[in-house]
Amino acid sequence: MPGIYIHIPFCRKACHYCNFHFSTNTKQIQAMSEAIVHEAELRKDYISGKVETIYFGGGTPSLLPLEDLSKLIATFKKLFDVDPDAEITLESNPDDITAEKLAGWKEAGVNRLSIGIQSFFEEDLKWMNRAHNATQAEACIHLAHQAGFDNLTIDLIYGTPTLTDEQWKHNVDKALSLGITHLSCYALTVEAKTALADMIKKHRIEDVSADKQGHQFELLMQWMQEAGWEHYEISNFAKPGHRSRHNSSYWKGASYLGLGPSAHSFNGTSRQWNVANNALYLKSIEQNIVPFEIEQLTPEQQLNEYIMTSLRTMEGLSVPYVQLHWSDKQAEEIVRDAEKFLQHNLMEHKNDRLILTQKGKLMADGIAADLFR
Ligand code: SF4
């Protein structure tokens, strides 16, 4: 079930913590969308089979003019075998959301809206340097419902120095009360070369606390369990029947075509990524050359990716799957190495699957790395 990811590399304002590829100079947005159409034409044979998901990420795809978004979706439908029921997601920011834009997105074929809320508290949003305010954070969700978007997901960030446990509870309760069907929650991470890392280094702001993040993640898991939502991936929760099909296919190792600067693609055995530079990308595509680097994945690397991604999901790692796609020996070694995690109640072995417990989810990356071959 292949998918298409489109990276729209523009943002209104630079959030202090962000290390994605984007530019705040939006002058070339139209030229970029034309280049992405052209890249899709150049790479139409990269994926085969029915395209089941299309995902506009970034950056800020909600900055795209409506006619450009419509043209991109129409191009994909022309070049690829897009399933009539394909999930088409658009990432958006609250400050871009208007009734007119929502109607246009629907008309263009978007059927799942993802909104970068991050927090309903003004102080938190200011600390992150978000472009929207607390009033817009709530109002845009009502607007999206009025426009008929019932497949609605929002992002929240926890672990910021400005967010107390009570405020975190308020953010989660508020999100659940607004009728969304999917929730993604991320611990604030301090990435190198971001404004946040710089400010912390210069002691201009308080550093983030790993203990506080772990505690707020535990609280989150408890509240979402009480609310009856599926914790189907470390950072993702869904009401039954509303998992993200696009992200789920990444975690299942499906192939995907990534278009636009910095976008990654995967075809089952190799991973490639486009240049993370808007000017170079535009110039290269104009010359009919896709500017990318590529890495062929060894069977061990593919197995390690499977270990990492499967352990993050509620279905966990399937031992028979490892036997089938790699070897009996590797499956046996993984089960042997997992023993210590089973003993410490960090993992369960159920129906031939290794599944992280709530306690284990707090250290998912470390556990996965320990099981790497
Ligand atoms: S809007 Fe998203 S992509 Fe843009 S700077 Fe903020 S976090 Fe990064």
Side-chain angles (χ1 to χ4, degrees), residues 3-42:
I4 300 175
Y5 171 81
I6 309 97
H7 190 86
I8 305 297
F10 300 100
C11 291
R12 205 179 292 284
K13 203 172 164 188
C15 302
H16 284 157
Y17 56 87
C18 181
N19 74 338
F20 293 130
H21 169 66
F22 68 92
S23 164
T24 49
N25 178 354
T26 57
K27 275 194 209 129
Q28 286 180 310
I29 198 161
Q30 213 167 352
M32 184 59 72
S33 121
E34 280 163 22
I36 293 174
V37 165
H38 192 38
E39 188 192 349
E41 288 162 351
L42 293 171

Coordinates of all heavy atoms in Angstrom, one line a residue, residues 3-42:
G3 N 2.5 5.0 -0.6 CA 1.9 6.4 -0.3 C 2.8 7.4 -0.9 O 3.9 7.2 -1.4
I4 N 2.3 8.6 -0.9 CA 3.1 9.8 -1.4 C 3.2 10.8 -0.3 O 2.2 11.2 0.4 CB 2.4 10.4 -2.6 CG1 2.2 9.4 -3.8 CG2 3.1 11.6 -3.1 CD1 1.4 9.9 -5.0
Y5 N 4.4 11.3 -0.1 CA 4.6 12.4 0.9 C 5.1 13.6 0.2 O 6.0 13.5 -0.7 CB 5.6 11.9 2.0 CG 6.0 13.1 2.9 CD1 5.2 13.5 4.0 CD2 7.2 13.8 2.6 CE1 5.6 14.5 4.8 CE2 7.5 14.9 3.4 CZ 6.7 15.3 4.5 OH 7.1 16.4 5.2
I6 N 4.5 14.8 0.5 CA 5.0 16.0 -0.2 C 5.4 16.9 0.9 O 4.7 17.3 1.9 CB 3.8 16.7 -0.9 CG1 3.1 15.6 -1.8 CG2 4.2 17.9 -1.7 CD1 1.9 15.0 -1.3
H7 N 6.7 17.4 0.8 CA 7.2 18.4 1.8 C 7.1 19.8 1.2 O 7.7 20.1 0.2 CB 8.7 18.0 2.0 CG 9.2 18.8 3.2 ND1 9.1 18.3 4.5 CD2 9.9 20.0 3.3 CE1 9.7 19.2 5.3 NE2 10.1 20.2 4.6
I8 N 6.3 20.6 1.9 CA 6.1 22.0 1.6 C 7.0 22.8 2.5 O 6.7 23.0 3.7 CB 4.6 22.4 1.7 CG1 3.7 21.5 0.9 CG2 4.5 23.9 1.3 CD1 4.0 21.5 -0.6
P9 N 8.2 23.3 2.0 CA 9.2 23.8 2.8 C 9.1 25.3 3.2 O 10.1 26.1 3.0 CB 10.5 23.5 2.0 CG 10.0 23.7 0.6 CD 8.6 23.3 0.5
F10 N 8.0 25.7 3.6 CA 7.8 27.2 4.0 C 7.1 27.3 5.3 O 6.1 26.5 5.5 CB 7.0 27.9 2.9 CG 7.7 27.9 1.6 CD1 7.3 27.0 0.6 CD2 8.8 28.7 1.3 CE1 7.9 26.9 -0.7 CE2 9.4 28.7 0.0 CZ 9.0 27.8 -0.9
C11 N 7.4 28.2 6.1 CA 6.7 28.5 7.4 C 6.6 30.0 7.5 O 7.5 30.8 7.1 CB 7.4 27.9 8.6 SG 7.3 26.1 8.6
R12 N 5.5 30.4 8.2 CA 5.3 31.9 8.5 C 6.4 32.4 9.5 O 6.9 33.5 9.3 CB 4.0 32.1 9.1 CG 3.3 33.4 8.9 CD 2.0 33.4 9.5 NE 1.0 32.6 8.9 CZ 0.4 32.9 7.7 NH1 0.7 34.0 7.1 NH2 -0.5 32.1 7.2
K13 N 6.7 31.5 10.4 CA 7.6 31.9 11.5 C 8.4 30.7 11.9 O 7.9 29.6 11.8 CB 6.7 32.4 12.7 CG 7.3 33.3 13.7 CD 6.1 33.8 14.6 CE 6.7 34.4 15.8 NZ 5.7 34.7 16.8
A14 N 9.6 30.9 12.4 CA 10.4 29.8 12.8 C 10.2 29.4 14.3 O 10.5 30.2 15.2 CB 11.9 30.1 12.6
C15 N 9.6 28.3 14.6 CA 9.4 27.8 15.9 C 10.8 27.5 16.5 O 11.6 26.9 15.9 CB 8.5 26.6 16.0 SG 6.9 26.9 15.2
H16 N 11.0 27.9 17.8 CA 12.3 27.8 18.4 C 12.9 26.4 18.4 O 14.1 26.2 18.4 CB 12.3 28.3 19.8 CG 12.2 29.8 19.9 ND1 11.7 30.5 21.0 CD2 12.6 30.8 19.0 CE1 11.8 31.8 20.7 NE2 12.3 32.0 19.5
Y17 N 12.0 25.4 18.5 CA 12.5 24.0 18.7 C 12.7 23.3 17.4 O 13.2 22.1 17.4 CB 11.5 23.3 19.6 CG 10.1 23.3 19.0 CD1 9.7 22.3 18.1 CD2 9.2 24.3 19.3 CE1 8.5 22.3 17.5 CE2 8.0 24.3 18.8 CZ 7.6 23.3 17.9 OH 6.3 23.4 17.3
C18 N 12.3 23.9 16.2 CA 12.2 23.1 15.0 C 13.5 22.8 14.2 O 14.2 23.8 14.0 CB 11.2 23.8 14.1 SG 10.9 22.9 12.6
N19 N 13.7 21.6 13.8 CA 14.8 21.3 13.0 C 14.4 20.7 11.6 O 15.2 20.1 11.0 CB 15.9 20.5 13.7 CG 15.4 19.0 13.8 OD1 14.2 18.7 13.7 ND2 16.4 18.1 13.9
F20 N 13.1 20.9 11.3 CA 12.7 20.4 9.9 C 13.3 21.4 8.9 O 13.7 22.5 9.2 CB 11.2 20.4 9.8 CG 10.5 19.4 10.7 CD1 9.5 19.7 11.5 CD2 11.0 18.1 10.7 CE1 8.9 18.8 12.4 CE2 10.4 17.1 11.5 CZ 9.4 17.5 12.3
H21 N 13.2 21.0 7.6 CA 13.7 21.9 6.6 C 12.5 22.9 6.2 O 11.5 22.4 5.8 CB 14.1 21.1 5.4 CG 14.4 22.0 4.2 ND1 15.4 23.0 4.2 CD2 13.7 22.2 3.0 CE1 15.3 23.6 3.1 NE2 14.3 23.2 2.4
F22 N 12.8 24.2 6.3 CA 11.8 25.1 5.9 C 12.5 26.5 5.7 O 13.6 26.7 6.2 CB 10.6 25.3 6.9 CG 11.1 25.9 8.2 CD1 11.0 27.3 8.4 CD2 11.7 25.1 9.2 CE1 11.5 27.9 9.6 CE2 12.1 25.7 10.4 CZ 12.0 27.1 10.6
S23 N 11.8 27.4 5.0 CA 12.2 28.8 4.9 C 11.1 29.7 5.2 O 9.9 29.4 4.9 CB 12.7 29.0 3.4 OG 12.8 30.4 3.2
T24 N 11.4 30.8 5.8 CA 10.3 31.8 6.1 C 10.1 32.8 5.0 O 9.3 33.6 5.1 CB 10.6 32.6 7.5 OG1 11.9 33.1 7.4 CG2 10.4 31.7 8.7
N25 N 10.9 32.6 4.0 CA 10.8 33.4 2.8 C 9.8 32.7 1.8 O 10.2 31.7 1.2 CB 12.1 33.7 2.1 CG 12.0 34.5 0.8 OD1 10.9 34.7 0.4 ND2 13.1 34.8 0.2
T26 N 8.6 33.1 1.8 CA 7.6 32.3 1.0 C 7.4 32.8 -0.4 O 6.5 32.3 -1.1 CB 6.2 32.4 1.8 OG1 5.8 33.8 1.8 CG2 6.2 31.8 3.1
K27 N 8.2 33.6 -0.9 CA 8.1 34.2 -2.3 C 8.0 33.1 -3.3 O 7.3 33.2 -4.3 CB 9.2 35.1 -2.6 CG 9.0 36.5 -2.1 CD 10.0 37.5 -2.7 CE 10.3 38.6 -1.8 NZ 11.8 38.8 -1.6
Q28 N 8.7 32.0 -3.1 CA 8.8 31.0 -4.1 C 7.8 29.8 -4.0 O 8.0 28.8 -4.6 CB 10.2 30.4 -4.2 CG 11.2 31.4 -4.8 CD 12.6 30.9 -4.8 OE1 13.1 30.4 -3.8 NE2 13.3 30.9 -5.9
I29 N 6.8 30.1 -3.2 CA 5.9 28.9 -2.9 C 5.2 28.4 -4.2 O 5.1 27.2 -4.4 CB 4.9 29.3 -1.8 CG1 4.2 28.1 -1.2 CG2 3.8 30.3 -2.3 CD1 3.6 28.3 0.1
Q30 N 4.9 29.3 -5.1 CA 4.2 28.8 -6.3 C 5.2 28.1 -7.2 O 4.9 27.0 -7.8 CB 3.6 30.0 -7.1 CG 2.4 29.6 -7.8 CD 1.6 30.8 -8.3 OE1 2.0 32.0 -8.0 NE2 0.6 30.6 -9.1
A31 N 6.4 28.6 -7.3 CA 7.5 28.0 -8.1 C 7.7 26.6 -7.5 O 8.0 25.6 -8.3 CB 8.7 28.8 -8.1
M32 N 7.7 26.5 -6.2 CA 8.0 25.2 -5.6 C 6.9 24.2 -5.9 O 7.2 23.1 -6.2 CB 8.0 25.5 -4.0 CG 8.4 24.2 -3.3 SD 10.0 23.6 -3.7 CE 11.1 24.8 -3.0
S33 N 5.6 24.7 -5.9 CA 4.6 23.7 -6.1 C 4.6 23.2 -7.6 O 4.4 22.1 -7.9 CB 3.3 24.3 -5.7 OG 2.4 24.4 -6.7
E34 N 5.0 24.1 -8.5 CA 5.2 23.7 -9.9 C 6.4 22.7 -10.0 O 6.3 21.7 -10.8 CB 5.5 24.9 -10.8 CG 4.2 25.6 -11.2 CD 4.5 27.1 -11.7 OE1 5.6 27.3 -12.2 OE2 3.5 27.9 -11.6
A35 N 7.5 23.0 -9.3 CA 8.6 22.0 -9.3 C 8.2 20.7 -8.8 O 8.6 19.6 -9.3 CB 9.8 22.6 -8.5
I36 N 7.4 20.7 -7.7 CA 7.0 19.4 -7.1 C 6.1 18.6 -8.2 O 6.2 17.4 -8.3 CB 6.3 19.6 -5.8 CG1 7.3 20.1 -4.8 CG2 5.6 18.3 -5.3 CD1 6.7 20.5 -3.4
V37 N 5.2 19.3 -8.9 CA 4.5 18.6 -9.9 C 5.4 18.0 -10.9 O 5.3 16.8 -11.3 CB 3.6 19.7 -10.7 CG1 3.0 19.1 -12.0 CG2 2.4 20.1 -9.8
H38 N 6.5 18.8 -11.3 CA 7.5 18.2 -12.3 C 8.2 17.1 -11.7 O 8.5 16.1 -12.4 CB 8.4 19.4 -12.7 CG 9.3 19.1 -13.8 ND1 8.8 18.3 -14.9 CD2 10.5 19.4 -14.1 CE1 9.8 18.2 -15.8 NE2 10.8 18.8 -15.3
E39 N 8.6 17.1 -10.4 CA 9.3 16.0 -9.8 C 8.4 14.7 -9.9 O 8.9 13.6 -10.1 CB 9.7 16.3 -8.3 CG 10.6 15.2 -7.8 CD 10.9 15.2 -6.3 OE1 10.5 16.2 -5.6 OE2 11.4 14.2 -5.8
A40 N 7.1 14.9 -9.6 CA 6.2 13.8 -9.6 C 6.2 13.2 -11.0 O 6.2 11.9 -11.2 CB 4.8 14.2 -9.2
E41 N 6.2 14.0 -12.1 CA 6.3 13.5 -13.4 C 7.6 12.7 -13.7 O 7.6 11.6 -14.3 CB 6.1 14.6 -14.4 CG 4.7 15.2 -14.5 CD 4.7 16.6 -15.1 OE1 5.7 17.2 -15.4 OE2 3.6 17.1 -15.3
L42 N 8.7 13.3 -13.2 CA 10.0 12.6 -13.4 C 10.1 11.3 -12.7 O 10.8 10.4 -13.1 CB 11.1 13.5 -12.9 CG 11.4 14.8 -13.7 CD1 12.4 15.7 -13.0 CD2 11.9 14.5 -15.1

